Amino acid sequence: GAVVSQHPSWVICKSGTSVKIECRSLDFQATTMFWYRQFPKQSLMLMATSNEGSKATYEQGVEKDKFLINHASLTLSTLTVTSAHPEDSSFYICSGRLAGGPGEQFFGPGTRLTVL
Amino acid sequence: AQTVTQSQPEMSVQEAETVTLSCTYDTSESDYYLFWYKQPPSRQMILVIRQEAYKQQNATENRFSVNFQKAAKSFSLKISDSQLGDAAMYFCALYSGNTPLVFGKGTRLSVIA
């Protein structure tokens, strides 16, 4: 299957700082990428959908000014958590979807963010 | 609105036995796809199996097979000859209408040696 990488795999930061997470589709072009947040023992919660070259579409309740998403190319999307606070600590997962495909999404390995 | 329901929060199976995970869904679209994803302790989401709604034949991938009942909007996953490595969270997901995947809440599967 198609491969998606995420970097970093884990990050610890101080409260008030910003953190950038990169998501790359390594062997396919992802016209659409998705960002999820996952709490322990729960399902994935969709944060936003981004299409290459367009502004991201955020789910209800997700602050777009806090979670900045950039999908600058067909292989790279970034999520920046601005002015991070301890409540932003979570597991963040990205995924990419092939254009014209059957809808399956290929997932990155996730990034564990801890805000002190 | 599209929904996916997994009514079994936890399941367990003896090694080498067979287990079935349940999933029901709802969509008004006629063209859609259904998926089962596995999330082991590493938390990497792995696609297990895919079913196209227009296909009557149930999808099969090695030890994994589905029972797709379109009229009942049911999509269960059967794991045969269960192995220790099958222990994971399993998520049922629905895709239609160029929207993000809709996930169920998941079923945690334990495999007992």
Side-chain angles (χ1 to χ4, degrees), chain A residues 20-21 23 33-36 46-59 62-72 76-82 92-94:
Chain A
K20 180 184 284 188
I21 302 170
C23 176
M33 285 188 168
F34 307 88
W35 286 94
Y36 295 86
L46 180 66
M47 298 175 66
T49 301
S50 73
N51 291 294
E52 185 262 340
S54 303
K55 289 184 177 180
T57 301
Y58 291 81
E59 295 299 300
V62 177
E63 299 176 58
K64 63 180 181 180
D65 294 328
K66 181 167 188 59
F67 298 99
L68 300 178
I69 292 172
N70 186 300
H71 192 167
L76 173 64
S77 177
T78 60
L79 167 67
T80 301
V81 183
T82 62
Y92 293 89
I93 306 175
C94 73

Side-chain angles (χ1 to χ4, degrees), chain A residues 34 36 38-44 46 49 91 93 97 101-109 112, chain B residues 33 35 37 39 42-47 50 52 89 91 95 98-101 103-106 108:
Chain A
F34 307 88
Y36 295 86
Q38 188 179 32
F39 293 102
K41 298 185 178 181
Q42 293 190 20
S43 187
L44 281 69
L46 180 66
T49 301
F91 192 70
I93 306 175
R97 174 184 287 168
E104 63 192 88
Q105 293 173 209
F106 302 97
F107 289 83
R112 179 174 299 284
Chain B
Y33 296 80
F35 306 89
Y37 282 87
Q39 188 179 41
S42 68
R43 302 188 80 171
Q44 169 74 62
M45 294 283 284
I46 301 166
L47 178 64
R50 178 183 74 208
E52 294 88 341
M89 280 289 287
F91 293 100
Y95 168 74
N98 199 29
T99 58
L101 287 175
F103 288 95
K105 291 188 175 182
R108 181 172 299 281

